Amino acid sequence: MCALLRLSQAQQRVIPTDYFVTATGDTLRGQLQFSRFVADNGVTLLPAGGDPRRAYRAEESQGFGTVDGRRFVVQRIKFVGQQPVPASATNLAPAFVHVFMQHLVRGKANLYRLDYSVITAQAIMEYAEYQTTFFYIQVPGSGLLLLQQTSLRSVLKALFQDCPLAQSKSAHTRFDEAELSQTVLVYNTNCGVGFGPTADLRRSSPRYGRLIVGARAGLGMGLVSYQQSECLSDNTFK
C-alpha cells in the first residue's frame, strides 16, 4: 500500500522545466538549448510532451526562462555603425531586428545584457576590435538605453538623480556586469519602493551550461543543456 502511495505521489509531482513564451503569449515547456549568441542563433525547444524539437527566432517570442532562474526578454534594436541601439516604436528606421536580452536585475531600474556578434565577413580578422557584449538599462520615464563605457558614470548619475546612495556608487562603477548589477541593486533596494520587488536574476552557475557532445553531438557544437534545479515562478515578460 505504501509503495502504491509513493508511486502515486511521484506521478503527481511536477518536474520543473524550461519555458518559452511565443509571440502570441502561449507558454511552451520543455528543454531549451541555445548558445551564447542566442540573439543571432535563436533557441531550440525540446517539448516536454515528446513533440519534435523546434527552433525559434526572437521575432517569434516574447522571451524564455531556464530552470536555474535565468530570464531572457525580447527587445528591438537597430544598428548605428557597430552599435546596437534600442529601436523605439516611433523610431524604427533603419530596419530593426528582434533580439533576446538576458534580464540581469529587475525592479524600478532594469538591467539587461545582450551578447551579439557584430562581426561581418570582411572584418573576421579584426575580431578583437569588435565588442560583443552590450548592457542596457531602463528606468521609469525613459526608454531602453544602451550603456557605453565612455559615458557610463554620467549617464547613471543622471538616471539615479532621485537616489543619493545610487548616485554615490555610480561615481565608482566600472563597466562590467558585476559592478553594473550591484549599482542597479543599490538603486532598487533604497529607492525602488512602489515598483514591485527587486530581484538579482544573475546566476552563479555556468552561464551556458554544458556543451552537448557525445551521443548528442548531432545537435551541434556550441548548443547547451541545463539540468533541472528549481521550479519556475515567473514567466511574465514586458
Side-chain angles (χ1 to χ4, degrees):
M1 185 67 180
C2 290
L4 290 175
L5 179 59
R6 285 195 296 269
L7 177 60
S8 176
Q9 291 173 337
Q11 290 173 337
Q12 295 175 12
R13 186 178 302 124
V14 177
I15 299 176
T17 60
D18 302 331
Y19 67 84
F20 179 91
V21 181
T22 68
T24 57
D26 295 323
T27 299
L28 309 177
R29 296 188 178 275
Q31 184 183 47
L32 292 171
Q33 299 170 341
F34 54 96
S35 67
R36 174 191 170 193
F37 293 113
V38 62
D40 301 72
N41 303 324
V43 60
T44 297
L45 173 68
L46 283 67
D51 294 332
R53 66 172 54 91
R54 178 181 168 183
Y56 291 91
R57 308 288 297 183
E59 57 266 24
E60 301 174 280
S61 173
Q62 295 182 24
F64 66 89
T66 65
V67 292
D68 61 5
R70 278 165 277 193
R71 300 291 183 267
F72 291 77
V73 300
V74 174
Q75 301 281 7
R76 295 183 299 192
I77 62 170
K78 61 181 181 180
F79 281 92
V80 178
Q82 297 292 341
Q83 295 296 311
V85 178
S88 67
T90 58
N91 185 17
L92 298 179
F96 68 90
V97 295
H98 292 84
V99 295
F100 290 112
M101 289 188 186
Q102 185 174 359
H103 200 169
L104 299 176
V105 178
R106 181 178 61 202
K108 183 177 181 180
N110 290 275
L111 182 68
Y112 303 93
R113 172 185 173 129
L114 171 66
D115 288 297
Y116 199 94
S117 176
V118 298
I119 304 168
T120 64
Q122 293 78 14
I124 191 67
M125 298 305 293
E126 304 174 33
Y127 180 88
E129 296 184 13
Y130 288 84
Q131 182 180 351
T132 56
T133 298
F134 304 88
F135 297 102
Y136 300 79
I137 193 170
Q138 187 169 23
V139 300
S142 78
L144 193 67
L145 298 174
L146 172 64
L147 295 173
Q148 302 190 58
Q149 187 168 2
T150 54
S151 59
L152 175 66
R153 291 173 180 173
S154 61
V155 169
L156 292 179
K157 182 178 180 180
L159 292 175
F160 298 158
Q161 59 184 331
D162 59 334
C163 190
L165 283 174
Q167 277 198 324
S168 177
K169 186 166 179 58
S170 298
H172 307 284
T173 300
R174 293 179 298 178
F175 191 75
D176 66 52
E177 181 174 311
E179 292 258 345
L180 289 169
S181 298
Q182 287 302 316
T183 299
V184 174
L185 284 168
V186 167
Y187 178 72
N188 288 345
T189 301
N190 292 279
C191 305
V193 177
F195 290 86
T198 186
D200 184 351
L201 301 178
R202 297 172 297 155
R203 293 296 177 265
S204 59
S205 57
R207 178 178 298 279
Y208 300 101
R210 56 184 175 82
L211 290 176
I212 297 177
V213 295
R216 305 180 67 184
L219 296 180
M221 292 299 293
L223 295 177
V224 296
S225 172
Y226 294 99
Q227 298 299 313
Q228 296 166 346
S229 60
E230 62 180 76
C231 293
L232 299 170
S233 59
D234 180 12
N235 62 352
T236 302
F237 295 90
K238 299 181 179 179

